[in-house]
mmCIF file with all atom_site columns, all heavy atoms in Angstrom:
data_model
loop_
_atom_site.group_PDB
_atom_site.id
_atom_site.type_symbol
_atom_site.label_atom_id
_atom_site.label_alt_id
_atom_site.label_comp_id
_atom_site.label_asym_id
_atom_site.label_entity_id
_atom_site.label_seq_id
_atom_site.pdbx_PDB_ins_code
_atom_site.Cartn_x
_atom_site.Cartn_y
_atom_site.Cartn_z
_atom_site.occupancy
_atom_site.B_iso_or_equiv
_atom_site.pdbx_formal_charge
_atom_site.auth_seq_id
_atom_site.auth_comp_id
_atom_site.auth_asym_id
_atom_site.auth_atom_id
_atom_site.pdbx_PDB_model_num
ATOM 1  N N   . GLN F 1 2  ? 2.247   36.901 -12.592 1.00 45.00 ? 2  GLN F N   1
ATOM 2  C CA  . GLN F 1 2  ? 1.460   36.579 -11.405 1.00 45.00 ? 2  GLN F CA  1
ATOM 3  C C   . GLN F 1 2  ? 1.178   35.078 -11.359 1.00 45.00 ? 2  GLN F C   1
ATOM 4  O O   . GLN F 1 2  ? 0.877   34.454 -12.367 1.00 45.00 ? 2  GLN F O   1
ATOM 5  C CB  . GLN F 1 2  ? 0.146   37.349 -11.451 1.00 45.00 ? 2  GLN F CB  1
ATOM 6  C CG  . GLN F 1 2  ? -0.691  37.162 -10.221 1.00 45.00 ? 2  GLN F CG  1
ATOM 7  C CD  . GLN F 1 2  ? -1.963  37.998 -10.314 1.00 45.00 ? 2  GLN F CD  1
ATOM 8  O OE1 . GLN F 1 2  ? -2.220  38.646 -11.302 1.00 45.00 ? 2  GLN F OE1 1
ATOM 9  N NE2 . GLN F 1 2  ? -2.743  37.957 -9.268  1.00 45.00 ? 2  GLN F NE2 1
ATOM 10 N N   . ALA F 1 3  ? 1.293   34.494 -10.159 1.00 44.00 ? 3  ALA F N   1
ATOM 11 C CA  . ALA F 1 3  ? 1.020   33.058 -9.987  1.00 44.00 ? 3  ALA F CA  1
ATOM 12 C C   . ALA F 1 3  ? -0.471  32.796 -10.160 1.00 44.00 ? 3  ALA F C   1
ATOM 13 O O   . ALA F 1 3  ? -1.310  33.613 -9.778  1.00 44.00 ? 3  ALA F O   1
ATOM 14 C CB  . ALA F 1 3  ? 1.472   32.607 -8.604  1.00 44.00 ? 3  ALA F CB  1
ATOM 15 N N   . LEU F 1 4  ? -0.770  31.679 -10.764 1.00 40.00 ? 4  LEU F N   1
ATOM 16 C CA  . LEU F 1 4  ? -2.168  31.295 -10.933 1.00 40.00 ? 4  LEU F CA  1
ATOM 17 C C   . LEU F 1 4  ? -2.770  30.882 -9.599  1.00 40.00 ? 4  LEU F C   1
ATOM 18 O O   . LEU F 1 4  ? -2.077  30.309 -8.756  1.00 40.00 ? 4  LEU F O   1
ATOM 19 C CB  . LEU F 1 4  ? -2.280  30.128 -11.904 1.00 40.00 ? 4  LEU F CB  1
ATOM 20 C CG  . LEU F 1 4  ? -1.901  30.408 -13.347 1.00 40.00 ? 4  LEU F CG  1
ATOM 21 C CD1 . LEU F 1 4  ? -1.933  29.124 -14.148 1.00 40.00 ? 4  LEU F CD1 1
ATOM 22 C CD2 . LEU F 1 4  ? -2.858  31.410 -13.960 1.00 40.00 ? 4  LEU F CD2 1
ATOM 23 N N   . PRO F 1 5  ? -4.045  31.146 -9.393  1.00 41.00 ? 5  PRO F N   1
ATOM 24 C CA  . PRO F 1 5  ? -4.689  30.657 -8.172  1.00 41.00 ? 5  PRO F CA  1
ATOM 25 C C   . PRO F 1 5  ? -4.613  29.139 -8.116  1.00 41.00 ? 5  PRO F C   1
ATOM 26 O O   . PRO F 1 5  ? -4.568  28.473 -9.143  1.00 41.00 ? 5  PRO F O   1
ATOM 27 C CB  . PRO F 1 5  ? -6.148  31.116 -8.327  1.00 41.00 ? 5  PRO F CB  1
ATOM 28 C CG  . PRO F 1 5  ? -6.122  32.179 -9.366  1.00 41.00 ? 5  PRO F CG  1
ATOM 29 C CD  . PRO F 1 5  ? -4.943  31.903 -10.238 1.00 41.00 ? 5  PRO F CD  1
ATOM 30 N N   . PHE F 1 6  ? -4.597  28.600 -6.929  1.00 41.00 ? 6  PHE F N   1
ATOM 31 C CA  . PHE F 1 6  ? -4.469  27.160 -6.721  1.00 41.00 ? 6  PHE F CA  1
ATOM 32 C C   . PHE F 1 6  ? -5.466  26.365 -7.550  1.00 41.00 ? 6  PHE F C   1
ATOM 33 O O   . PHE F 1 6  ? -5.126  25.389 -8.181  1.00 41.00 ? 6  PHE F O   1
ATOM 34 C CB  . PHE F 1 6  ? -4.637  26.836 -5.238  1.00 41.00 ? 6  PHE F CB  1
ATOM 35 C CG  . PHE F 1 6  ? -4.676  25.367 -4.960  1.00 41.00 ? 6  PHE F CG  1
ATOM 36 C CD1 . PHE F 1 6  ? -3.523  24.616 -4.974  1.00 41.00 ? 6  PHE F CD1 1
ATOM 37 C CD2 . PHE F 1 6  ? -5.884  24.733 -4.720  1.00 41.00 ? 6  PHE F CD2 1
ATOM 38 C CE1 . PHE F 1 6  ? -3.565  23.263 -4.735  1.00 41.00 ? 6  PHE F CE1 1
ATOM 39 C CE2 . PHE F 1 6  ? -5.934  23.377 -4.485  1.00 41.00 ? 6  PHE F CE2 1
ATOM 40 C CZ  . PHE F 1 6  ? -4.773  22.652 -4.489  1.00 41.00 ? 6  PHE F CZ  1
ATOM 41 N N   . TYR F 1 7  ? -6.721  26.791 -7.561  1.00 41.00 ? 7  TYR F N   1
ATOM 42 C CA  . TYR F 1 7  ? -7.733  26.014 -8.264  1.00 41.00 ? 7  TYR F CA  1
ATOM 43 C C   . TYR F 1 7  ? -7.477  25.947 -9.763  1.00 41.00 ? 7  TYR F C   1
ATOM 44 O O   . TYR F 1 7  ? -7.805  24.975 -10.418 1.00 41.00 ? 7  TYR F O   1
ATOM 45 C CB  . TYR F 1 7  ? -9.142  26.524 -7.983  1.00 41.00 ? 7  TYR F CB  1
ATOM 46 C CG  . TYR F 1 7  ? -9.413  27.933 -8.441  1.00 41.00 ? 7  TYR F CG  1
ATOM 47 C CD1 . TYR F 1 7  ? -9.888  28.194 -9.713  1.00 41.00 ? 7  TYR F CD1 1
ATOM 48 C CD2 . TYR F 1 7  ? -9.189  29.006 -7.592  1.00 41.00 ? 7  TYR F CD2 1
ATOM 49 C CE1 . TYR F 1 7  ? -10.131 29.489 -10.133 1.00 41.00 ? 7  TYR F CE1 1
ATOM 50 C CE2 . TYR F 1 7  ? -9.433  30.301 -8.008  1.00 41.00 ? 7  TYR F CE2 1
ATOM 51 C CZ  . TYR F 1 7  ? -9.908  30.533 -9.280  1.00 41.00 ? 7  TYR F CZ  1
ATOM 52 O OH  . TYR F 1 7  ? -10.149 31.810 -9.693  1.00 41.00 ? 7  TYR F OH  1
ATOM 53 N N   . LEU F 1 8  ? -6.860  26.983 -10.352 1.00 43.00 ? 8  LEU F N   1
ATOM 54 C CA  . LEU F 1 8  ? -6.535  26.935 -11.777 1.00 43.00 ? 8  LEU F CA  1
ATOM 55 C C   . LEU F 1 8  ? -5.409  25.943 -12.034 1.00 43.00 ? 8  LEU F C   1
ATOM 56 O O   . LEU F 1 8  ? -5.451  25.178 -12.986 1.00 43.00 ? 8  LEU F O   1
ATOM 57 C CB  . LEU F 1 8  ? -6.165  28.314 -12.296 1.00 43.00 ? 8  LEU F CB  1
ATOM 58 C CG  . LEU F 1 8  ? -7.304  29.320 -12.392 1.00 43.00 ? 8  LEU F CG  1
ATOM 59 C CD1 . LEU F 1 8  ? -6.788  30.649 -12.903 1.00 43.00 ? 8  LEU F CD1 1
ATOM 60 C CD2 . LEU F 1 8  ? -8.399  28.801 -13.307 1.00 43.00 ? 8  LEU F CD2 1
ATOM 61 N N   . ASP F 1 9  ? -4.405  25.966 -11.170 1.00 48.00 ? 9  ASP F N   1
ATOM 62 C CA  . ASP F 1 9  ? -3.325  24.992 -11.301 1.00 48.00 ? 9  ASP F CA  1
ATOM 63 C C   . ASP F 1 9  ? -3.875  23.574 -11.161 1.00 48.00 ? 9  ASP F C   1
ATOM 64 O O   . ASP F 1 9  ? -3.482  22.675 -11.894 1.00 48.00 ? 9  ASP F O   1
ATOM 65 C CB  . ASP F 1 9  ? -2.251  25.218 -10.244 1.00 48.00 ? 9  ASP F CB  1
ATOM 66 C CG  . ASP F 1 9  ? -1.423  26.468 -10.520 1.00 48.00 ? 9  ASP F CG  1
ATOM 67 O OD1 . ASP F 1 9  ? -1.412  26.927 -11.666 1.00 48.00 ? 9  ASP F OD1 1
ATOM 68 O OD2 . ASP F 1 9  ? -0.800  26.956 -9.573  1.00 48.00 ? 9  ASP F OD2 1
ATOM 69 N N   . GLU F 1 10 ? -4.763  23.376 -10.221 1.00 49.00 ? 10 GLU F N   1
ATOM 70 C CA  . GLU F 1 10 ? -5.350  22.057 -9.987  1.00 49.00 ? 10 GLU F CA  1
ATOM 71 C C   . GLU F 1 10 ? -6.179  21.604 -11.187 1.00 49.00 ? 10 GLU F C   1
ATOM 72 O O   . GLU F 1 10 ? -6.117  20.454 -11.598 1.00 49.00 ? 10 GLU F O   1
ATOM 73 C CB  . GLU F 1 10 ? -6.213  22.073 -8.725  1.00 49.00 ? 10 GLU F CB  1
ATOM 74 C CG  . GLU F 1 10 ? -6.616  20.708 -8.237  1.00 49.00 ? 10 GLU F CG  1
ATOM 75 C CD  . GLU F 1 10 ? -5.456  19.819 -7.854  1.00 49.00 ? 10 GLU F CD  1
ATOM 76 O OE1 . GLU F 1 10 ? -4.401  20.338 -7.453  1.00 49.00 ? 10 GLU F OE1 1
ATOM 77 O OE2 . GLU F 1 10 ? -5.591  18.599 -7.985  1.00 49.00 ? 10 GLU F OE2 1
ATOM 78 N N   . ALA F 1 11 ? -6.918  22.508 -11.793 1.00 50.00 ? 11 ALA F N   1
ATOM 79 C CA  . ALA F 1 11 ? -7.707  22.162 -12.972 1.00 50.00 ? 11 ALA F CA  1
ATOM 80 C C   . ALA F 1 11 ? -6.797  21.769 -14.134 1.00 50.00 ? 11 ALA F C   1
ATOM 81 O O   . ALA F 1 11 ? -7.060  20.795 -14.839 1.00 50.00 ? 11 ALA F O   1
ATOM 82 C CB  . ALA F 1 11 ? -8.612  23.326 -13.370 1.00 50.00 ? 11 ALA F CB  1
#
Side-chain angles (χ1 to χ4, degrees):
Q2 184 178 3
L4 293 174
F6 173 76
Y7 63 89
L8 290 179
D9 288 340
E10 193 61 28

